[in-house]
Amino acid sequence: MAQDIASPPRAAALARTSMPERMVFPAPEAPRGMNARPEALIETDDCLGADVCYDLSLRYVDGQLRNPAFPADDPGGFDDVRLRAYGGLVLDDQGSPVAQDNPFVAPVVEIAPGDTFRLTFENELPRPRDMVLPGEAPGGGSLSCIGEPADHNAPHCSNFNLTNIHTHGLWVSPLGNSDNVLLTVNPGIRFTYEYNIPNDHPAGTFWYHAHRHGSTAPQVSSGMAGILLIRGNRQPVLGAAGWALPGDLDVILPRPEVGGHDLTFPERTMLFQQIAYACRWSRDQVAALEASGTPRDELPVVGSIKTDTETGAWICDEGDVGMVEPGPVNAFDQLTPTAWPASGRYTAINGGIQQEQPGAVAGRVERWRLIHGGVRETIGVQIRKVETRPVDALRTRLSEGSEGRDRADETVEEFCSGAPVELVRVATDGLTRPDIRTGSEVILQPAYREDVLVSFPSEGTYCIVDAESAAQADINVNDNDSAILGFIDVAPAEVQLEGGSGADHVLAILAQSIEATIEDGAARDVILDDLSAGRLDAFVKHRDISDSEVSGGQTVGFALNLKPGGVAFEIGNFVPTHVSNGAPFALVDEAAYEASRIDRVLPLRGVDEWTLSSFGSIAVGHPFHIHVNPFQIVEVLKYRPDPGCTSGTGGTPSEGAQGCSIDPNDPSTYIDVSVPDSIEPQYAGFKDTWKDTLFVLPGYLVKMRTRYERYIGDFVMHCHILDHEDQGMMQNIRIALPDGKGGFDGSMTRHIAQDGD
């Protein structure tokens, strides 16, 4: 059932208003295990007045996922799984309805600036009280989900099947049936979202995923995410004082299927996910162990996660079904900070584990759209050629099973020994970069997107590698060994390669495309001059925010603290102070999420400079994400030297220590690590870049600016480690009219969980 990553997820079925007033397509017959309802329909009369419409359902789906810890022909080589997944009508290349290629990968949604997009969504999951939970009741028998938590930030079974949809990164209204994550679509409810995409919306790489507070982490960890692309064909317009109207990057990166272009850029869109399924001990299995002589004090708890007794990795026995469900003691026992690294699971690409994809040709420049749609792993994407060992030996190694992540690192070192292919980064979080960034690795934190141009220098087989990362850079705060995520076969070059390879070759091809696609001669000359300087200013939709434009400021401090009642997931503000412990700021007003509280009221047309950092007794980084309006990074300051430094005045630092001349109480010594040649690869080259998500490490100050444009209403900002968000690391934001009331007499926030009656 695993999908070959050579084939991206199918595009969603689209209906245009030029179609007849009513057309009904019966859903295709679903492959065994997909659980698709044969009567599912897409009814275009629901889409009158819309440019694009789409039906999507949420249901349990059965299938299999490859487990690389075991040989492919071993009973443990493929795990049976039952996961919450999005299903929708999709079309083949001829426009005929077909089944989804992979039941766990949502169809691709493609829309254009100016479109009205209607998405009719139906929650077909059982109501909380009808759920059958892992574990057993005190008197025996199955557990059921009863009641609701006293604290809505506490993980609880009642939330797992409540949902909604967030169009991550879109610049649209957060109100009503638009990108409103403060509503709940309960089981049995059918609801139509309507997104009015403005004419000036940037084209780019976005995604959609579940976002109902309390269920976001388990649902995204089940795979509830999809690719959302906005495609544009706007030519840049040159004005007297610069770019009057920026263009779309798609113009100079035409796809082969568009037609009319001699030079094209094939696309590969890759959705990276950590699907955290686990198999659990049933009462019958525990009873069988007891009958076989296992001492009572060594018996597993009914409903607990099955693990290997030696490695601790999660296992599934023959006949088991892996799921993402609330644990009998801790509803989030599959979603703890240590769970994913311990699980032994692998990051999937488009629903496939370590899949091979063909279709690449040496010298041809491809556009790769990389989307981190997972929850619990930092991914360092590298592409390395298989050089020192035969490719067949690699295939054999992968089919034999890696016997855990330790051997995965060994496999990378043994087989993927070629120099990393240069990756040319042209867009970040769906927005064109002002400058082109070239390097051998792209670091993806949860919710990051990167558009990179790739050209393979020679034929052969290349590994798509998740490179090892240091503990500080990893969201799990552990040393992450490298692993193979997939590999790609590259055919010989179609013509003799000239002018070298790598980034130089990519930029030369890009220049040829600009010559062929930009219609206005004066604009073309400026774009080519910019390209020679490594810039793409003609395609940056948001203008720089100057010092004089800033009208206010915000501070955000993420805090993960051990308290008497357990771990507190909070957000506060911070103020300057002078202390000797390396933290020159004091966190104030920290609190967990409260649905009825508006934490920040911000004026429409205001411009704020935000300063962010991470605090807490548990020193970890947090990916900051804010809805609706993107932000421009001003600088990222390292204000605290690494622990290996002996003092703020220098000394003899340990190997790898950074910024040892920093004095936390002297801002003049802080180091801007967002510059291209930064000492911190996490932030290198982010200066002046527009984003909607950014990893905020402790010991660093992130300064960014944002405009509150066009849209009023209530939405959220939060940590994109989604189990942190579900447990309270989120705030409500209101963009209001300048009188502070937003045009409303009462609260615009409603966030009430109901049982679906």
Side-chain angles (χ1 to χ4, degrees), residues 16-57:
R16 295 278 170 175
T17 53
S18 59
M19 299 177 70
E21 208 172 81
R22 179 180 176 88
M23 292 184 65
V24 177
F25 299 111
E29 182 179 352
R32 183 172 54 187
M34 279 187 64
N35 295 340
R37 299 185 311 166
E39 70 272 18
L41 303 174
I42 178 168
E43 301 180 359
T44 62
D45 62 345
D46 290 341
C47 299
L48 293 178
D51 296 290
V52 176
C53 69
Y54 174 45
D55 270 13
L56 190 73
S57 61

Side-chain angles (χ1 to χ4, degrees), residues 179-466:
D179 189 43
N180 183 353
V181 299
L182 299 177
L183 59 78
T184 298
V185 181
N186 288 310
I189 297 298
R190 182 178 174 90
F191 178 75
T192 298
Y193 287 89
E194 181 173 300
Y195 307 97
N196 294 304
I197 313 300
N199 284 316
D200 53 348
H201 195 291
T205 303
F206 305 96
W207 62 302
Y208 62 96
H209 63 86
H211 204 303
R212 199 273 182 186
H213 183 61
S215 66
T216 308
Q219 291 184 0
V220 174
S221 293
S222 183
M224 286 173 55
I227 296 162
L228 194 161
L229 304 180
I230 294 188
R231 297 192 182 277
N233 58 7
R234 294 165 293 195
Q235 292 270 335
V237 177
L238 187 63
W243 294 105
L245 292 173
D248 294 318
L249 199 60
D250 297 353
V251 170
I252 61 173
L253 299 174
R255 296 170 290 149
E257 55 267 36
V258 171
H261 299 278
D262 294 330
L263 180 59
T264 59
F265 298 77
E267 286 188 3
R268 298 180 192 269
T269 303
M270 300 184 187
L271 179 66
F272 297 85
Q273 294 173 291
Q274 292 88 50
I275 300 178
Y277 68 92
C279 295
R280 296 176 181 270
W281 288 102
S282 69
R283 161 46 60 193
D284 290 345
Q285 291 170 334
V286 173
L289 287 178
E290 187 174 16
S292 68
T294 302
R296 183 177 293 272
D297 60 355
E298 295 180 13
L299 292 174
V301 175
V302 175
S304 62
I305 296 172
K306 285 189 172 182
T307 59
D308 184 280
T309 54
E310 294 184 2
T311 66
W314 296 356
I315 58 173
C316 294
D317 293 318
E318 194 168 1
D320 287 344
V321 177
M323 304 180 75
V324 180
E325 296 295 335
V329 177
N330 174 10
F332 274 15
D333 63 356
Q334 290 173 248
L335 305 167
T336 66
T338 59
W340 178 259
S343 72
R345 302 283 184 246
Y346 277 64
T347 291
I349 305 178
N350 295 343
I353 307 292
Q354 293 186 335
Q355 294 286 302
E356 178 179 359
Q357 57 175 318
V361 177
R364 180 187 294 168
V365 180
E366 297 183 349
R367 180 182 187 174
W368 287 25
R369 298 178 184 261
L370 309 177
I371 303 170
H372 193 320
V375 176
R376 268 294 176 186
E377 187 157 271
T378 296
I379 303 169
V381 178
Q382 289 186 347
I383 304 172
R384 292 179 173 269
K385 190 174 184 181
V386 179
E387 285 192 339
T388 55
R389 295 287 305 278
V391 172
D392 288 344
L394 172 60
R395 294 191 177 95
T396 300
R397 168 69 64 83
L398 295 180
S399 68
E400 287 177 345
S402 61
E403 299 177 4
R405 289 295 296 265
D406 290 341
R407 196 176 181 199
D409 186 53
E410 173 189 322
T411 300
V412 171
E413 292 184 7
E414 185 175 347
F415 289 92
C416 312
S417 55
V421 174
E422 286 189 292
L423 305 175
V424 180
R425 295 161 56 188
V426 293
T428 295
D429 285 0
L431 304 173
T432 303
R433 295 180 55 84
D435 60 338
I436 295 170
R437 175 93 178 144
T438 299
S440 61
E441 181 179 345
V442 172
I443 298 175
L444 298 177
Q445 300 290 2
Y448 278 25
R449 287 95 66 213
E450 287 286 342
D451 286 44
V452 300
L453 303 182
V454 180
S455 178
F456 296 95
S458 60
E459 64 181 291
T461 298
Y462 292 75
C463 304
I464 303 172
V465 172
D466 177 4

Side-chain angles (χ1 to χ4, degrees), residues 475-650:
I475 64 167
N476 297 310
V477 198
N478 69 325
D479 293 322
N480 180 30
D481 289 336
S482 57
I484 295 176
L485 301 180
F487 53 109
I488 182 167
D489 284 333
V490 179
E494 296 167 334
V495 296
Q496 181 77 24
L497 291 180
E498 298 180 1
S501 61
D504 290 341
H505 173 68
V506 168
L507 295 176
I509 296 297
L510 190 57
Q512 293 178 31
S513 180
I514 291 168
E515 289 275 10
T517 57
I518 299 301
E519 298 167 355
D520 179 77
R524 183 168 56 244
D525 290 343
V526 174
I527 293 170
L528 288 170
D529 286 343
D530 284 350
L531 182 66
S532 65
R535 298 194 62 82
L536 292 168
D537 296 287
F539 306 96
V540 178
K541 286 292 183 180
H542 300 282
R543 68 188 187 279
D544 288 345
I545 299 178
S546 65
D547 294 346
S548 60
E549 194 178 348
V550 175
S551 56
Q554 301 288 320
T555 63
V556 176
F558 292 105
L560 199 59
N561 285 311
L562 283 171
K563 292 188 175 181
V567 178
F569 299 82
E570 299 174 324
I571 296 178
N573 303 312
F574 57 92
V575 294
T577 185
H578 290 282
V579 294
S580 59
N581 63 359
F585 308 97
L587 188 67
V588 296
D589 303 325
E590 64 269 31
Y593 179 65
E594 175 51 57
S596 62
R597 184 184 67 229
I598 301 298
D599 296 280
R600 300 170 196 263
V601 178
L602 308 170
L604 184 68
R605 295 186 299 277
V607 179
D608 275 347
E609 180 168 285
W610 292 57
T611 305
L612 305 92
S613 194
S614 293
F615 300 86
S617 57
I618 304 174
V620 297
H622 302 275
F624 167 85
H625 172 55
I626 190 165
H627 294 201
V628 184
N629 296 293
F631 52 81
Q632 185 177 32
I633 297 171
V634 177
E635 59 186 1
V636 181
L637 299 175
K638 183 174 175 60
Y639 72 78
R640 187 170 62 202
D642 283 356
C645 297
T646 56
S647 70
T649 57

